[in-house]
Amino acid sequence: MPRSYKPIYGTTVLLVGFLAAAAAQTQHVQLVTNEAGRRVDVLIDGKPFTSYIWPTTLKKPTLFPLRTADGTVVTRGYPLEPRKNERVDHPHHVGLWMNSGDVNGLDFWNNSDAIKAEQQPKMGTIFHRKIVDAKGGADKGTLVVETDWVKPDGNPLVKEHTEFVFRGDAKSRTIDRTTTLTALAERVVFKDNKENFFGMRVARELELPYDKAEVLTDESGKPTPKPVKDNTGVSGMYTSSEGLKGDDVWGQRARWMMLTGTVNHEPVTIAMLDNPSNPNFPAFWHARGYGLFAINPLGEKVLPGGGKRDFDLTLEPGKSTTFHYRVLILNGAANPADIEKAYQEFAPQKATAAR
């Protein structure tokens, strides 16, 4: 049955205005490659923004950390760089990544050094293979990489080709990710699964306030011996393109999602944008109050906003599929009209989109 998706812009006055002059104020982007250190650092106007990293302690490459234009870190530090009062759950949630929880029966999403030895045969690993291109410029920087999605026996299952485009101005940072996945020697099935696909783990302050006691890190970054209930500084709020808020966004379809809050006394907004060219658009959102913020196009049956059918993405040997996403990190508390304007620039479409 077709579904209508109506944007909620047009009746709200723009509050911040940081998008209006962005094109005229874009800043120089520099990429610094350090193969021995297994990283590529991204600087905008000479200031650190993020790094593409592939340390041996992770089971996938990731962008970590992410910062605002003012330098405020908006991603969780644990487990790589733990800070005080962070949750210590899900050690595989690091930075901004892309993977899947069920690919030919293998779990690429949950893999980490915390996995018990008996679980390893069920886990897949994404290995960085090559930097194809890394160049800066007056208004953008481009990083092109190749990775392999590898089975426990060491044989590659999927070839990944990804292009990141980084931009920034005085008030914002932007990441465009275009990823092509190609099946290699065998048929590949990305199963309808809750744990997908393009995700990030945000700073503690951007979580939604929660009443349950949790194990948090102490001053030294180590887990507290007992769970504590401490919402000090926790201020996050999700808003979807369809007008849903807070925990109600989980598992529902939307063209974009924004997360607003205050980090180190700085109001910030993170927005993730889906694209109409992506499979099963508009995607479902694996966006949780504890700080997981993810776009999931492959949750048709398992997530609450879907239906009864499985949406399994199947690639025959040699066949490919491509995904396009954008992430915005904005100074200030944006409103839906701001993000809708940014979305129309990223993926112009009619005011009402139906499936």
Side-chain angles (χ1 to χ4, degrees), residues 300-350:
E300 179 78 28
K301 185 175 182 179
V302 71
L303 291 174
K308 295 182 179 180
R309 68 161 186 154
D310 283 310
F311 185 83
D312 296 338
L313 180 61
T314 301
L315 298 177
E316 300 296 336
K319 298 300 182 180
S320 301
T321 188
T322 299
F323 295 85
H324 305 274
Y325 296 112
R326 175 169 288 180
V327 177
L328 302 175
I329 304 174
L330 310 172
N331 291 18
N335 60 40
D338 294 318
I339 306 306
E340 182 61 39
K341 182 176 185 295
Y343 183 80
Q344 291 298 326
E345 293 171 355
F346 172 61
Q349 58 178 321
K350 297 180 180 179

Side-chain angles (χ1 to χ4, degrees), residues 176-194:
D176 287 344
R177 176 169 182 153
T178 301
T179 292
T180 298
L181 303 174
T182 303
L184 294 175
E186 61 186 279
R187 187 173 187 251
V188 175
V189 180
F190 296 83
K191 291 290 292 183
D192 189 308
N193 187 274
K194 176 171 65 73

Side-chain angles (χ1 to χ4, degrees), residues 57-76:
T57 54
L58 295 182
K59 305 303 182 183
K60 59 184 177 292
T62 186
L63 295 181
F64 175 88
L66 299 177
R67 301 176 178 89
T68 68
D70 289 338
T72 298
V73 175
V74 297
T75 42
R76 182 178 70 164

Side-chain angles (χ1 to χ4, degrees), residues 23-240:
Q25 299 176 355
T26 52
Q27 298 174 334
H28 185 271
V29 182
Q30 180 184 7
L31 272 63
V32 180
T33 300
N34 180 356
E35 295 262 14
R38 304 174 74 90
R39 62 190 295 127
V40 178
D41 297 322
V42 182
L43 296 87
I44 298 182
D45 196 29
K47 298 186 294 186
F49 169 35
T50 190
S51 298
Y52 172 81
I53 62 173
W54 62 99
T56 57
T57 54
L58 295 182
K59 305 303 182 183
K60 59 184 177 292
T62 186
L63 295 181
F64 175 88
L66 299 177
R67 301 176 178 89
T68 68
D70 289 338
T72 298
V73 175
V74 297
T75 42
R76 182 178 70 164
Y78 179 86
L80 296 185
E81 299 175 358
R83 304 185 294 269
K84 184 182 178 182
N85 277 356
E86 291 188 319
R87 294 180 191 248
V88 297
D89 57 73
H90 301 86
H92 50 280
H93 291 171
V94 180
L96 177 69
W97 70 90
M98 180 182 285
N99 59 15
S100 179
D102 188 342
V103 185
N104 285 18
L106 296 173
D107 185 350
F108 288 84
W109 180 276
N110 288 288
N111 199 2
S112 77
D113 281 345
I115 294 296
K116 296 179 180 179
E118 58 267 27
Q119 296 296 318
Q120 283 298 330
K122 302 177 183 178
M123 297 292 162
T125 303
I126 301 177
F127 286 101
H128 168 84
R129 296 304 193 197
K130 181 170 65 173
I131 296 173
V132 178
D133 192 22
K135 61 184 178 184
D139 60 351
K140 68 179 181 180
T142 302
L143 174 65
V144 182
V145 297
E146 290 184 355
T147 69
D148 285 336
W149 296 41
V150 177
K151 299 187 293 185
D153 63 7
N155 289 315
L157 183 65
V158 173
K159 173 69 69 177
E160 175 186 324
H161 180 94
T162 289
E163 178 187 76
F164 298 98
V165 178
F166 305 99
R167 298 183 179 90
D169 57 42
K171 296 293 184 181
S172 70
R173 296 289 185 259
T174 302
I175 301 168
D176 287 344
R177 176 169 182 153
T178 301
T179 292
T180 298
L181 303 174
T182 303
L184 294 175
E186 61 186 279
R187 187 173 187 251
V188 175
V189 180
F190 296 83
K191 291 290 292 183
D192 189 308
N193 187 274
K194 176 171 65 73
E195 291 168 327
N196 281 305
F197 181 58
F198 182 44
M200 65 190 306
R201 184 63 186 262
V202 300
R204 170 75 170 150
E205 295 92 332
L206 293 173
E207 296 175 12
L208 276 61
Y210 195 52
D211 290 334
K212 183 181 177 182
E214 297 287 345
V215 174
L216 303 175
T217 49
D218 61 18
E219 292 278 2
S220 65
K222 296 180 179 179
T224 54
K226 294 182 179 180
V228 296
K229 185 166 68 174
D230 184 2
N231 279 319
T232 303
V234 178
S235 59
M237 176 56 66
Y238 289 114
T239 304
S240 81

